[in-house]
Amino acid sequence: MAVVVSYPQSLKHLNTPFSLVKCKASFSCGFVSFPTTRNQHRKSFIVRSVATPAEAASGFDEMVSGTQRKYYMLGGKGGVGKTSCAASLAVKFANNGHPTLVVSTDPAHSLSDSFAQDLTGGTLVPVEGPYSPLFALEINPEKARDEFRSASQKSGGTGIKDFMDGMGLGVLAEQLGELKLGELLDTPPPGLDEAIAISKVMQFLESQEYNMFTRIVFDTAPTGHTLRLLSLPDFLDASIGKILKLRQKIASATSAIKSVFGQEDNHREDAADKLERLRERMIKVRELFRDTSSTEFVIVTIPTVMAISESSRLCASLKKESVPVQRLIVNQVIPPSASDCKFCAMKRKDQMRSLDMIQTDSELSSLVVIQAPLVDVEIRGVPALQFLGDIVWK
């Protein structure tokens, strides 16, 4: 059953929690009003129901009942509705008894817009509405960039060393000190956004603060950023390995001289230990991304040839990185109607061709395909996300 959601004008910006009840499939259009059960003030939620062909269930019962799979990453082409799908999944988990955290790793955040709530600041923010605790976090790469720039301007570039010390890379800053790091690193390097996201993933693995969450949903950046994020642990692991080897060579070459003067190199040993710990953490993150028992990547797309083609390439890249992927959400599907206008009929015909591509695509055909309907209002606020979740995650 595909459903077109209609809000009364007075409810379009409502962010007050209330329960939603699924309506039964009907082959005639009608309006159904759902009263609230959580608040004394009774509100109505009006839905126009349109019959559609049966769709594959998403397998949400399995997603919600399992005890091992904790991390869900949603990604795909820009503008396909990843944030709405991720936010609705987080709300659905919370409403089914899981303390949940939803994290945006997209530099162009829209999680605040989706929840109709200010989630900026780079800290955990409680989301109002769901039955179980739901927190949201927008990772703030701009703040880290500012810290990087200010570090590069301190004391003719010595601030860079302090910044890299904090990342466990101080030994690298020392070895390259003669190359005027302040000039070289004044501009944040490519991939800093992904590195910050990785550091947050490390926190999820290690910090007591995040132990309360039994589900963590990632709203990832568009495809290119996401692939860099997933491949970054491999890159950093290899890079740190090279740095450690370089340090070993330098240390062995200077050890004789230092022993003559009776100098010990405790600081450098500390730096090497930091690098080794960072490397171990990278390995843990890499294992997390590839652990089929604890992590799943959900691809979100729309029914256009370009989006389906990009989704196929993303799926192939995920498999190459050994990242588990089982589900494909096809968003914004136009439901059939006996009174289709010419534009709608042609648009739907194009969409059906795109949907047929999935069935014959070597990468996508093995995935569970979930169709989500195009709705006639923005999905914004917890009540709308609850309703979208009941459509998509069933």
Side-chain angles (χ1 to χ4, degrees):
M1 185 186 82
V3 180
V4 179
V5 182
S6 296
Y7 288 95
Q9 189 63 33
S10 61
L11 293 183
K12 285 200 174 181
H13 300 291
L14 182 67
N15 194 30
T16 305
F18 53 83
S19 66
L20 296 165
V21 183
K22 281 187 179 179
C23 65
K24 294 181 180 179
S26 169
F27 286 88
S28 61
C29 293
F31 289 88
V32 184
S33 177
F34 299 103
T36 80
T37 57
R38 298 189 66 196
N39 297 330
Q40 291 181 347
H41 303 289
R42 299 178 71 82
K43 306 286 184 183
S44 62
F45 191 77
I46 298 174
V47 178
R48 185 163 63 251
S49 174
V50 184
T52 61
E55 301 164 4
S58 68
F60 182 76
D61 288 346
E62 173 204 350
M63 296 166 73
V64 77
S65 63
T67 55
Q68 278 192 303
R69 184 164 290 150
K70 180 177 179 180
Y71 304 94
Y72 287 85
M73 308 182 75
L74 281 79
K77 183 177 167 66
V80 297
K82 296 185 298 296
T83 300
S84 294
C85 290
S88 68
L89 177 58
V91 169
K92 183 107 177 183
F93 276 140
N95 281 340
N96 280 269
H98 283 286
T100 302
L101 171 64
V102 56
V103 184
S104 172
T105 64
D106 188 344
H109 296 297
S110 54
L111 208 55
S112 291
D113 297 327
S114 193
F115 280 106
Q117 186 177 336
D118 185 6
L119 305 174
T120 58
T123 57
L124 294 182
V125 179
V127 174
E128 303 163 6
Y131 305 138
S132 294
L134 172 60
F135 285 76
L137 170 66
E138 288 187 343
I139 294 173
N140 191 348
E142 190 58 43
K143 184 177 178 182
R145 288 194 200 99
D146 291 342
E147 289 174 0
F148 195 98
R149 291 189 189 100
S150 64
S152 70
Q153 293 165 3
K154 289 179 185 175
S155 306
T158 57
I160 282 292
K161 181 187 174 300
D162 297 335
F163 184 86
M164 296 184 77
D165 268 334
M167 296 179 67
L169 298 174
V171 64
L172 178 62
E174 286 182 9
Q175 303 300 339
L176 300 180
E178 295 179 4
L179 300 179
K180 298 183 180 179
L181 279 173
E183 296 175 13
L184 284 175
L185 299 179
D186 184 55
T187 302
L192 184 64
D193 294 345
E194 287 78 23
I196 295 163
I198 283 284
S199 71
K200 286 295 179 183
V201 175
M202 290 177 184
Q203 283 184 275
F204 303 148
L205 292 175
E206 299 172 354
S207 173
Q208 293 293 322
E209 182 184 10
Y210 298 98
N211 281 349
M212 67 170 282
F213 299 112
T214 56
R215 293 292 183 272
I216 296 178
V217 179
F218 291 91
D219 170 31
T220 70
T223 306
H225 287 271
T226 301
L227 292 176
R228 283 202 299 272
L229 172 67
L230 295 173
S231 61
L232 194 60
D234 277 335
F235 172 76
L236 289 180
D237 181 22
S239 300
I240 291 169
K242 290 176 182 177
I243 293 168
L244 285 171
K245 287 179 182 177
L246 174 64
R247 185 209 164 275
Q248 208 169 25
K249 289 179 180 178
I250 294 173
S252 60
T254 58
S255 60
I257 299 173
K258 288 189 177 292
S259 62
V260 169
F261 292 97
Q263 295 178 357
E264 296 184 0
D265 200 10
N266 293 330
H267 176 73
R268 288 184 184 275
E269 289 215 0
D270 290 342
D273 289 343
K274 284 182 182 178
L275 275 177
E276 191 57 53
R277 283 197 298 273
L278 180 62
R279 186 181 188 182
E280 289 170 1
R281 293 167 85 193
M282 284 294 119
I283 292 171
K284 282 177 68 176
V285 172
R286 180 177 63 198
E287 289 173 350
L288 170 69
F289 285 163
R290 296 173 181 176
D291 186 350
T292 56
S293 63
S294 65
T295 305
E296 180 184 335
F297 195 101
V298 180
I299 299 175
V300 184
T301 190
I302 55 176
T304 67
V305 172
M306 289 178 66
I308 298 296
S309 298
E310 182 166 321
S311 298
S312 177
R313 293 191 293 271
L314 172 59
C315 189
S317 297
L318 291 170
K319 290 178 182 177
K320 186 178 179 182
E321 296 288 342
S322 302
V323 176
V325 54
Q326 297 179 19
R327 294 170 175 86
L328 172 70
I329 297 175
V330 185
N331 198 15
Q332 302 177 16
V333 176
I334 298 174
S337 169
S339 59
D340 268 353
C341 66
K342 186 176 180 182
F343 174 82
C344 294
M346 291 299 295
K347 188 72 175 173
R348 179 167 173 79
K349 191 175 180 181
D350 277 346
Q351 289 192 347
M352 291 305 101
R353 278 197 290 264
S354 301
L355 288 168
D356 288 341
M357 284 177 61
I358 297 172
Q359 306 306 318
T360 57
D361 186 90
S362 59
E363 301 294 341
L364 303 177
S365 58
S366 61
L367 304 182
V368 174
V369 179
I370 307 159
Q371 291 189 30
L374 180 68
V375 294
D376 60 359
V377 293
E378 283 188 302
I379 297 296
R380 190 167 183 266
V382 170
L385 291 167
Q386 286 176 335
F387 191 77
L388 179 65
D390 284 342
I391 298 171
V392 177
W393 308 106
K394 56 188 177 183

